Amino acid sequence: MQNAYATASLYVGDLHNEVTEALLFELFNAVGPVASIRVCRDSVTRRSLGYAYVNFHSVVDAERALETMNYTLIKNKPCRIMWCHRDPSLRKSGTGNVFIKNLDKSIDNKALYDTFSA
């Protein structure tokens, strides 16, 4: 578990705009029982914003999903999964965030993850 206050909620990003709650439920429920899923959408157009929140009943299941499904292709696009931090002070603290620019177009999220998680 990431820390003592970790929840069973995951952020799933880099989603194809046609990904639905039903599709995510089918994929993530195979890892463990899913409590809820929300694909975030534009309030006017209702188009997907390219990310979702997947909530599990168990932190253990959320950890398993993070470990086994990160960068899995969903509609031919690799998804990026991270812990969801609901505490705004955590998100805004800057702790653990690294911003990199001017990267070659061949470098994707998976390559960055592999480089910095070692």
Side-chain angles (χ1 to χ4, degrees):
M1 185 166 38
Q2 189 175 20
N3 63 46
Y5 303 102
T7 66
S9 298
L10 298 175
Y11 164 92
V12 183
D14 297 340
L15 294 175
H16 187 282
N17 63 0
E18 294 176 4
V19 170
T20 63
E21 284 86 351
L23 174 58
L24 291 176
F25 183 85
E26 182 181 326
L27 296 170
F28 282 89
N29 204 51
V31 174
V34 170
S36 64
I37 294 178
R38 183 177 68 133
V39 172
C40 296
R41 300 181 183 283
D42 180 274
S43 60
V44 176
T45 66
R46 303 306 299 155
R47 285 188 187 168
S48 171
L49 296 173
Y51 66 97
Y53 294 99
V54 177
N55 303 298
F56 286 89
H57 291 286
S58 158
V59 172
V60 172
D61 292 332
E63 287 175 334
R64 187 178 314 112
L66 178 61
E67 291 168 5
T68 62
M69 297 186 67
N70 205 7
Y71 302 107
T72 296
L73 292 178
I74 302 176
K75 289 204 171 268
N76 295 319
K77 214 175 158 189
C79 70
R80 183 170 43 96
I81 303 174
M82 300 183 294
W83 288 106
C84 174
H85 298 291
R86 295 185 191 273
D87 181 353
S89 65
L90 261 178
R91 288 194 307 263
K92 295 176 183 176
S93 71
T95 303
N97 291 326
V98 177
F99 296 94
I100 304 170
K101 64 182 188 175
N102 298 326
L103 293 173
D104 188 83
K105 291 185 187 310
S106 66
I107 298 174
D108 60 8
N109 285 324
K110 175 79 168 105
L112 288 174
Y113 177 83
D114 290 344
T115 300
F116 289 101
S117 67

